[in-house]
Amino acid sequence: MGEGSRGPEELTVDDRGRLLLPAEVRRRLGLAPGAALLLEVEDGTIRLVPRAAAARRGHGIFADRARGRSLVEELRRERRAEAALEEARATGDRGRVRAARRALARAARGAR
């Protein structure tokens, strides 16, 4: 069962398909009534992961792709360029539309 475990514990599925997690396990994992768990099934194995733990584990998984850049600022630039394109299209000015498309392409390239 992982760190600090005492070995496998046998659980029984009741007639409604439910499992009862032992109180000690719930206490160690900080699971209160209503806590969300993620169910993973792989190679005939069931794994339950508290949603909060899964979120912490996934936090920052793409951070290495954004070193030295502000993803928020890139998103803002791209949204401003999209808004400018929409506005240019509304005016029907072809030159303005072309310029807005180029600005949007530049903003999108900066986001990669």
Side-chain angles (χ1 to χ4, degrees), residues 6-55:
R6 296 184 194 112
E9 294 188 40
E10 186 172 312
L11 302 178
T12 303
V13 178
D14 73 10
D15 61 341
R16 293 177 62 190
R18 297 177 297 189
L19 292 173
L20 177 63
L21 296 176
E24 174 62 18
V25 171
R26 294 191 313 268
R27 185 192 62 71
R28 282 195 342 235
L29 296 176
L31 298 175
L37 300 172
L38 301 179
L39 172 70
E40 299 173 354
V41 179
E42 186 176 316
D43 298 326
T45 302
I46 296 172
R47 182 174 183 204
L48 295 173
V49 180
R51 185 169 44 190

Side-chain angles (χ1 to χ4, degrees), residues 59-101:
H59 181 73
I61 59 176
F62 297 110
D64 61 321
R65 295 181 177 218
R67 296 240 189 270
R69 322 188 331 220
S70 169
L71 298 180
V72 171
E73 190 51 44
E74 287 181 16
L75 178 61
R76 286 179 179 156
R77 274 195 298 272
E78 194 169 343
R79 282 300 302 132
R80 283 192 294 266
E82 288 171 353
L85 178 57
E86 289 173 21
E87 189 176 305
R89 283 181 176 151
T91 66
D93 182 340
R94 289 182 181 176
R96 212 168 141 197
V97 169
R98 279 193 301 274
R101 282 187 183 145

